[in-house]
Structure formats: structure tokens, C-alpha cells
Amino acid sequence: MSKIKGILFDLDNTLIDFMKMKRMACSEAASAMIGAGLKMEFETLEKELFGFYLNYGIEGDYPFTDFLKKHNAYTDAILASAINAYHRVKSAFLEPYPGVIPMFVKLIKQGIKLGIVTDAPSLKAHQRIDAMKLHGFFDVVVTEAKKPDSQGFLKAVEKFGLKPQEVMMVGDWPEKDMVGAKKAGLIACFAKYGHSVGVETATEPDHTIHKIEELLEIL
Ligand SMILES: [Mg+2]
């Protein structure tokens, strides 16, 4: 009998393939900007725009405005086409990784509590959870957690009504998710499939999964 009674998940790149969605949305925005009159070569623009976007901070509201101003190419028409293209793709591709929902159903049937601990701003995190139709699965959603700070993890554990050692944290970002989980006394499970930032060797996780289905082998 497993001692794991609750599982907390990071959101971006653990449940959602966030980077892929952002890359596709930027690519569509680049194409729309050219269509609206921006004089740049597509490959260059696509690459620069995505790089700018990542540096700007992926939760920022005005990356396209600043990008166009930097290139002395700002017009409302170009900005409008970019924003609309971006949002079109974003809502079409905001999906959980394959296997997430069936896995949640199985976990809940086993009596395991599920929750989210994310650094994302509250409204944006809830928009993503809602768009993926995941909101019904969670007993707790902690946003703006400032991981690896222990506070967010412990708040979620308390809402579960469990002890830290009965809860596993699943996340893709070693320095935030794994270091934070260990610091708070949780079981740490590295979501290697989503790993895109950070140093993998930041800490030794208790478990590593290569797809979400592997969670069942841990329980
Ligand atoms: Mg993440």
C-alpha cells in the first residue's frame, strides 16, 4: 500500500505543453505581422520574436508592442494582427499533455487527492486550467507560489489535510519544483518529459517519469 495520498502538479510544461504552444503562437503572430505589412523575413522574425518573448517574460502583456517599437515598425494594424493570431493559436492549442485526463480519473478512483502548485499569476493560471477543462479535478490550486519557497507547497498540503511525507510533487523545473518539494518535506517526482529550463542535477528527485502514465508505477 502506497503512502502517497495526495499529488501536487506544477502547471506549465508538466500538465500543459506550454512552450510548444507559445512557439506556435509566436510563429503565427510573425506570419500575421508580415501579412499586415511588417517588412521582415519570416524565419528571422519568427526566431527573433520568440527569443524576445522569452526574454520579456512569458506572462508579460505587451511583448509585441515593444518588439515592434524596437524595430521602428509599430502600427496598430500590425500589432492587432499579431495579437489576434497569437490568441487564435493559444486557445486552439492549450491542451493538457496526452494521458493527463485519463490519469487523473484513475488517481481519483484510487482516492488520491490532486492539486496544483504554480508560480503563474492567479488569473492566467485559472484561465489555463479552465481552458483545459481540468478545474473539476483539483482539491487545491496554489498560484504565485514563488517556488522553491516552501510556503505554497505547505499551504496545499494543509488544504489536503495530509502530512508532507504523504504528498508527492510532480514538476519539470528542478530548481523550483524538485528543490522546493524536498525542502518542504514532500516526495519529489521529476517530469522529465516537460523539462525545458533549469539544471537537471539541482537535486536528486525521489522519482523520475518520462510520461504521465508512469505515475501509476510509483503509487
Ligand atoms: Mg513547469
Side-chain angles (χ1 to χ4, degrees):
M1 194 58 190
S2 169
K3 59 175 181 167
I4 297 171
K5 295 179 180 164
I7 303 182
L8 294 170
F9 293 90
D10 163 55
L11 188 56
D12 303 326
N13 298 313
T14 296
L15 296 181
I16 319 172
D17 197 347
F18 198 59
M19 280 306 179
K20 183 179 163 198
M21 183 275 287
K22 291 273 179 189
R23 195 173 287 117
M24 289 173 79
C26 276
S27 169
E28 194 65 20
S31 159
M33 283 173 167
I34 290 170
L38 180 64
K39 300 269 177 286
M40 264 180 95
E41 202 248 332
F42 176 73
E43 270 80 31
T44 314
L45 174 59
E46 185 189 33
K47 199 167 161 243
E48 271 195 36
L49 191 62
F50 189 60
F52 185 85
Y53 195 77
L54 289 182
N55 285 329
Y56 192 91
I58 50 172
E59 305 286 4
D61 283 328
Y62 304 103
F64 296 150
T65 310
D66 291 355
F67 180 84
L68 289 168
K69 283 184 175 161
K70 189 187 131 201
H71 285 271
N72 289 320
Y74 180 89
T75 69
D76 281 345
I78 295 175
L79 178 64
S81 70
I83 291 174
N84 283 350
Y86 181 86
H87 284 292
R88 237 179 0 251
V89 174
K90 201 173 139 178
S91 43
F93 287 92
L94 202 58
E95 283 181 353
Y97 282 103
V100 164
I101 290 180
M103 178 56 48
F104 281 180
V105 172
K106 282 180 191 155
L107 294 171
I108 285 174
K109 276 188 184 156
Q110 292 193 25
I112 291 171
K113 294 184 175 179
L114 305 180
I116 297 274
V117 178
T118 176
D119 282 352
S122 184
L123 182 61
K124 295 200 175 192
H126 283 284
Q127 278 182 291
R128 282 174 215 147
I129 292 167
D130 177 74
M132 297 191 297
K133 300 187 173 61
L134 291 180
H135 47 273
F137 288 107
F138 304 120
D139 288 282
V140 57
V141 175
V142 175
T143 58
E144 300 170 28
K146 298 190 176 70
K147 296 179 279 188
D149 199 288
S150 298
Q151 225 174 353
F153 297 103
L154 295 176
K155 195 169 139 191
V157 167
E158 197 191 319
K159 274 259 177 72
F160 275 164
L162 297 172
K163 301 187 189 90
Q165 63 269 28
E166 295 173 323
V167 177
M168 181 162 78
M169 172 67 195
V170 182
D172 69 291
W173 193 331
E175 294 96 322
K176 285 176 173 281
D177 299 316
M178 298 298 96
V179 170
K182 300 289 271 185
K183 210 165 72 173
L186 277 62
I187 302 158
C189 176
F190 179 44
K192 197 175 168 78
Y193 58 84
H195 175 56
S196 55
V197 280
V199 179
E200 201 173 319
T201 51
T203 188
E204 187 68 36
D206 300 295
H207 303 281
T208 296
I209 55 171
H210 303 84
K211 54 181 184 200
I212 193 103
E213 284 84 353
E214 289 175 20
L215 276 182
L216 285 184
E217 293 159 28
I218 298 171
L219 301 175

